[in-house]
Amino acid sequence: MHEQAGHFMEQIERWAVNDYFTPNIKAEVILDTLLTPYIPRILKSRYDDIDAVLLAKEMSMIEAQKDGEPENDLGPKVDYVLADKTQNCVYLVELKTTDSSIDAGQLALYASLAEQTRDFGDVLGKRLLAILAKSFHIRLGDPEGWGDATLEEAWEKIWDKRSRYDPKGKDPKESASYGKMAMDLIKAKGWAWRSDLRSRKYVYTLGQILDHLHGEYGGAGLWGRQVKPIYLLPRLPKDRSSFGKDILLSAFVPYFETEQTDTPLAAILNGIYGAADLT
């Protein structure tokens, strides 16, 4: 069993590095998945006062709608959303695996969020609830009155309707985790495989958030917490002026070079970002 596991990890290491250097493969997605469990520790290694837990990934962010433009689940999304355990803030972490993937428009959006001291509800909560309300055809009242309680209300309305969604007769049961229930619901109804209903996968994000609100660090809620953008880069740039003064920067390669040297991911990152200076 251990030999099989070792061989499997060798294959993951080989092909993760191979795919990074292969054209037309979105290597950032591969590293995004592999880095996920380490994100809180990477941030803390850079900033002692950050002690956070992961809420969700790929959450849609609010954006200004153009006149006559229909609202949908497209638009900007944030790679990782984390809530601090003690501070009244939520971190929006954007992963960049190359300098070329840094988009000027996205950077401007994060800078504006930092400067305006926006909160979770305005930036993320309202977008999530709007998507869910449209996709599941539920009424949640005036958005100006939405809050943490509305997240609970949305869940109850969606979950209570589960027997009405096709296919009938495949209805997941209650469990200890909202996230697990949401995943079971998505699988039972086939929403992950139907392009016309993929927006319903956002119920999993809702489930993750409710797991947090009902967990050890959720007592303070989320809705009014200030959002703080962080760019997570391979290494810290020598010149950070393009990021402005309000966006925090962190780096994942140094963390694995110093604190996780024996992990398979450290070998993968070394294969990608290891020294190759031939000058």
mmCIF file of all heavy atoms in Angstrom, residues 258-279:
data_model
loop_
_atom_site.group_PDB
_atom_site.id
_atom_site.type_symbol
_atom_site.label_atom_id
_atom_site.label_comp_id
_atom_site.label_asym_id
_atom_site.label_seq_id
_atom_site.Cartn_x
_atom_site.Cartn_y
_atom_site.Cartn_z
ATOM 1 N N THR A 258 11.557 26.435 3.106
ATOM 2 C CA THR A 258 12.035 26.544 4.486
ATOM 3 C C THR A 258 11.231 25.734 5.496
ATOM 4 O O THR A 258 11.778 25.245 6.485
ATOM 5 C CB THR A 258 12.025 28.013 4.937
ATOM 6 O OG1 THR A 258 10.688 28.541 4.832
ATOM 7 C CG2 THR A 258 12.958 28.855 4.075
ATOM 8 N N GLU A 259 9.916 25.574 5.259
ATOM 9 C CA GLU A 259 9.059 24.954 6.279
ATOM 10 C C GLU A 259 8.404 23.653 5.854
ATOM 11 O O GLU A 259 7.849 22.946 6.697
ATOM 12 C CB GLU A 259 7.982 25.956 6.716
ATOM 13 C CG GLU A 259 8.561 27.238 7.324
ATOM 14 C CD GLU A 259 7.506 28.113 7.953
ATOM 15 O OE1 GLU A 259 6.554 27.562 8.559
ATOM 16 O OE2 GLU A 259 7.621 29.355 7.846
ATOM 17 N N GLN A 260 8.415 23.330 4.579
ATOM 18 C CA GLN A 260 7.787 22.085 4.112
ATOM 19 C C GLN A 260 8.707 21.376 3.123
ATOM 20 O O GLN A 260 8.284 20.908 2.071
ATOM 21 C CB GLN A 260 6.438 22.409 3.443
ATOM 22 C CG GLN A 260 5.415 23.043 4.350
ATOM 23 C CD GLN A 260 4.823 22.062 5.330
ATOM 24 O OE1 GLN A 260 4.889 20.841 5.141
ATOM 25 N NE2 GLN A 260 4.230 22.566 6.401
ATOM 26 N N THR A 261 9.955 21.298 3.478
ATOM 27 C CA THR A 261 10.972 20.826 2.520
ATOM 28 C C THR A 261 10.796 19.371 2.105
ATOM 29 O O THR A 261 11.254 18.981 1.024
ATOM 30 C CB THR A 261 12.374 21.010 3.124
ATOM 31 O OG1 THR A 261 12.436 20.310 4.380
ATOM 32 C CG2 THR A 261 12.679 22.485 3.348
ATOM 33 N N ASP A 262 10.182 18.546 2.933
ATOM 34 C CA ASP A 262 10.084 17.120 2.630
ATOM 35 C C ASP A 262 8.742 16.706 2.024
ATOM 36 O O ASP A 262 8.484 15.505 1.868
ATOM 37 C CB ASP A 262 10.318 16.293 3.908
ATOM 38 C CG ASP A 262 11.736 16.465 4.441
ATOM 39 O OD1 ASP A 262 12.639 16.664 3.612
ATOM 40 O OD2 ASP A 262 11.919 16.410 5.675
ATOM 41 N N THR A 263 7.901 17.666 1.694
ATOM 42 C CA THR A 263 6.593 17.335 1.142
ATOM 43 C C THR A 263 6.677 17.152 -0.375
ATOM 44 O O THR A 263 7.544 17.721 -1.034
ATOM 45 C CB THR A 263 5.573 18.442 1.450
ATOM 46 O OG1 THR A 263 6.012 19.654 0.827
ATOM 47 C CG2 THR A 263 5.428 18.641 2.946
ATOM 48 N N PRO A 264 5.761 16.346 -0.945
ATOM 49 C CA PRO A 264 5.743 16.191 -2.407
ATOM 50 C C PRO A 264 5.564 17.525 -3.134
ATOM 51 O O PRO A 264 6.145 17.727 -4.208
ATOM 52 C CB PRO A 264 4.546 15.263 -2.640
ATOM 53 C CG PRO A 264 4.431 14.478 -1.378
ATOM 54 C CD PRO A 264 4.797 15.447 -0.289
ATOM 55 N N LEU A 265 4.789 18.432 -2.558
ATOM 56 C CA LEU A 265 4.566 19.718 -3.210
ATOM 57 C C LEU A 265 5.852 20.535 -3.259
ATOM 58 O O LEU A 265 6.086 21.282 -4.216
ATOM 59 C CB LEU A 265 3.458 20.499 -2.496
ATOM 60 C CG LEU A 265 3.029 21.813 -3.154
ATOM 61 C CD1 LEU A 265 2.782 21.664 -4.638
ATOM 62 C CD2 LEU A 265 1.791 22.374 -2.459
ATOM 63 N N ALA A 266 6.696 20.395 -2.249
ATOM 64 C CA ALA A 266 7.991 21.091 -2.279
ATOM 65 C C ALA A 266 8.816 20.622 -3.464
ATOM 66 O O ALA A 266 9.472 21.425 -4.140
ATOM 67 C CB ALA A 266 8.746 20.852 -0.974
ATOM 68 N N ALA A 267 8.777 19.325 -3.755
ATOM 69 C CA ALA A 267 9.518 18.792 -4.904
ATOM 70 C C ALA A 267 8.935 19.313 -6.214
ATOM 71 O O ALA A 267 9.671 19.628 -7.158
ATOM 72 C CB ALA A 267 9.487 17.266 -4.874
ATOM 73 N N ILE A 268 7.615 19.414 -6.275
ATOM 74 C CA ILE A 268 6.962 19.937 -7.477
ATOM 75 C C ILE A 268 7.363 21.390 -7.711
ATOM 76 O O ILE A 268 7.741 21.782 -8.824
ATOM 77 C CB ILE A 268 5.427 19.823 -7.349
ATOM 78 C CG1 ILE A 268 5.006 18.363 -7.408
ATOM 79 C CG2 ILE A 268 4.728 20.634 -8.445
ATOM 80 C CD1 ILE A 268 3.549 18.125 -7.090
ATOM 81 N N LEU A 269 7.310 22.188 -6.665
ATOM 82 C CA LEU A 269 7.650 23.608 -6.803
ATOM 83 C C LEU A 269 9.130 23.787 -7.135
ATOM 84 O O LEU A 269 9.497 24.704 -7.876
ATOM 85 C CB LEU A 269 7.288 24.359 -5.519
ATOM 86 C CG LEU A 269 5.790 24.415 -5.207
ATOM 87 C CD1 LEU A 269 5.547 25.115 -3.878
ATOM 88 C CD2 LEU A 269 5.015 25.106 -6.320
ATOM 89 N N ASN A 270 9.970 22.917 -6.597
ATOM 90 C CA ASN A 270 11.392 22.991 -6.946
ATOM 91 C C ASN A 270 11.606 22.656 -8.421
ATOM 92 O O ASN A 270 12.437 23.276 -9.106
ATOM 93 C CB ASN A 270 12.207 22.042 -6.073
ATOM 94 C CG ASN A 270 13.698 22.132 -6.369
ATOM 95 O OD1 ASN A 270 14.321 23.174 -6.192
ATOM 96 N ND2 ASN A 270 14.265 21.029 -6.839
ATOM 97 N N GLY A 271 10.834 21.685 -8.908
ATOM 98 C CA GLY A 271 10.933 21.333 -10.307
ATOM 99 C C GLY A 271 10.486 22.448 -11.236
ATOM 100 O O GLY A 271 10.949 22.563 -12.370
ATOM 101 N N ILE A 272 9.571 23.289 -10.734
ATOM 102 C CA ILE A 272 9.055 24.402 -11.539
ATOM 103 C C ILE A 272 9.882 25.664 -11.358
ATOM 104 O O ILE A 272 10.296 26.303 -12.323
ATOM 105 C CB ILE A 272 7.586 24.682 -11.175
ATOM 106 C CG1 ILE A 272 6.703 23.491 -11.565
ATOM 107 C CG2 ILE A 272 7.089 25.959 -11.849
ATOM 108 C CD1 ILE A 272 5.279 23.595 -11.076
ATOM 109 N N TYR A 273 10.137 26.018 -10.079
ATOM 110 C CA TYR A 273 10.737 27.316 -9.780
ATOM 111 C C TYR A 273 12.183 27.206 -9.301
ATOM 112 O O TYR A 273 12.779 28.214 -8.925
ATOM 113 C CB TYR A 273 9.924 28.041 -8.694
ATOM 114 C CG TYR A 273 8.505 28.333 -9.108
ATOM 115 C CD1 TYR A 273 7.443 27.563 -8.615
ATOM 116 C CD2 TYR A 273 8.213 29.362 -9.984
ATOM 117 C CE1 TYR A 273 6.147 27.822 -8.978
ATOM 118 C CE2 TYR A 273 6.908 29.626 -10.357
ATOM 119 C CZ TYR A 273 5.868 28.859 -9.859
ATOM 120 O OH TYR A 273 4.581 29.125 -10.234
ATOM 121 N N GLY A 274 12.749 25.982 -9.303
ATOM 122 C CA GLY A 274 14.118 25.823 -8.831
ATOM 123 C C GLY A 274 15.108 26.608 -9.682
ATOM 124 O O GLY A 274 14.804 27.015 -10.807
ATOM 125 N N ALA A 275 16.298 26.815 -9.124
ATOM 126 C CA ALA A 275 17.288 27.646 -9.779
ATOM 127 C C ALA A 275 17.603 27.168 -11.189
ATOM 128 O O ALA A 275 17.847 25.996 -11.426
ATOM 129 C CB ALA A 275 18.575 27.663 -8.953
ATOM 130 N N ALA A 276 17.540 28.108 -12.138
ATOM 131 C CA ALA A 276 17.892 27.810 -13.525
ATOM 132 C C ALA A 276 18.602 28.992 -14.144
ATOM 133 O O ALA A 276 18.490 29.258 -15.328
ATOM 134 C CB ALA A 276 16.635 27.475 -14.311
ATOM 135 N N ASP A 277 19.324 29.727 -13.330
ATOM 136 C CA ASP A 277 20.046 30.910 -13.792
ATOM 137 C C ASP A 277 21.333 30.475 -14.506
ATOM 138 O O ASP A 277 22.264 29.997 -13.883
ATOM 139 C CB ASP A 277 20.372 31.827 -12.600
ATOM 140 C CG ASP A 277 20.979 33.143 -13.035
ATOM 141 O OD1 ASP A 277 21.216 33.308 -14.264
ATOM 142 O OD2 ASP A 277 21.206 34.007 -12.179
ATOM 143 N N LEU A 278 21.341 30.618 -15.818
ATOM 144 C CA LEU A 278 22.488 30.147 -16.604
ATOM 145 C C LEU A 278 23.440 31.286 -17.001
ATOM 146 O O LEU A 278 24.331 31.084 -17.810
ATOM 147 C CB LEU A 278 21.959 29.455 -17.866
ATOM 148 C CG LEU A 278 21.008 28.285 -17.628
ATOM 149 C CD1 LEU A 278 20.562 27.677 -18.948
ATOM 150 C CD2 LEU A 278 21.657 27.234 -16.753
ATOM 151 N N THR A 279 23.211 32.464 -16.424
ATOM 152 C CA THR A 279 24.069 33.609 -16.772
ATOM 153 C C THR A 279 25.392 33.505 -16.043
ATOM 154 O O THR A 279 25.506 32.817 -15.027
ATOM 155 C CB THR A 279 23.399 34.930 -16.401
ATOM 156 O OG1 THR A 279 23.123 34.935 -15.002
ATOM 157 C CG2 THR A 279 22.094 35.064 -17.187
#
